[in-house]
Amino acid sequence: QVQLVESGGGLVQAGGSLRLSCAASFSSAAMGWFRQAPGKEREFVAAIRWNGGNTPYADSVKGRFTISRDGAKNTVYLQMNSLKPEDTAVYYCAARARFINSAYVPSVPYEYDYWGQGTQVTVSS
């Protein structure tokens, strides 16, 4: 059974940090983080191929968020520093099971095959 189990969300003050984790029950070609705030569409945050390489980030989180992975544990992390109130959202982990050509890293929702249940991140001002 395919599972993506997320953890690490919570309430933090502006300027604080949180680390999200997502453990997959299978080896994927790539994993990514997306977020969705109330009344807004789901947006890309960051992604990483399972064999390393490029790690694209949304402009809004560059320099503050870092995505990483532990291949042995099939787990991806999102370290979030200098959090801002506008980072408040439900954060979703996504996994790409299908093969990916060359060094491409998926960054749109339809390019991912499986999704986690979401974890709430709330940043207070």
Side-chain angles (χ1 to χ4, degrees):
Q1 182 179 357
V2 173
Q3 278 190 316
L4 296 176
V5 180
E6 302 165 4
S7 60
L11 173 63
V12 64
Q13 288 189 333
S17 297
L18 285 173
R19 189 175 84 150
L20 306 182
S21 300
C22 176
S25 59
F26 62 101
S27 296
S28 61
M31 293 188 75
W33 288 97
F34 292 76
R35 66 186 183 185
Q36 188 166 17
K40 295 188 177 181
E41 293 188 355
R42 190 168 298 190
E43 65 173 0
F44 172 75
V45 176
I48 187 167
R49 290 174 61 98
W50 218 242
N51 60 357
N54 291 338
T55 52
Y57 294 90
D59 288 343
S60 58
V61 306
K62 280 181 182 176
R64 300 188 298 121
F65 291 11
T66 303
I67 190 170
S68 61
R69 85 272 188 266
D70 183 332
K73 297 181 179 179
N74 288 334
T75 298
V76 65
Y77 305 97
L78 186 68
Q79 178 66 44
M80 305 185 294
N81 298 329
S82 302
L83 282 161
K84 305 175 181 180
E86 51 264 45
D87 294 318
T88 295
V90 177
Y91 283 70
Y92 295 92
C93 169
R96 164 91 175 203
R98 291 166 284 158
F99 175 76
I100 303 174
N101 288 323
S102 66
Y104 179 67
V105 184
S107 60
V108 291
Y110 71 81
E111 294 180 312
Y112 286 86
D113 304 303
Y114 300 101
W115 292 83
Q117 78 284 2
T119 185
Q120 178 69 47
V121 171
T122 302
V123 184
S124 63
S125 57

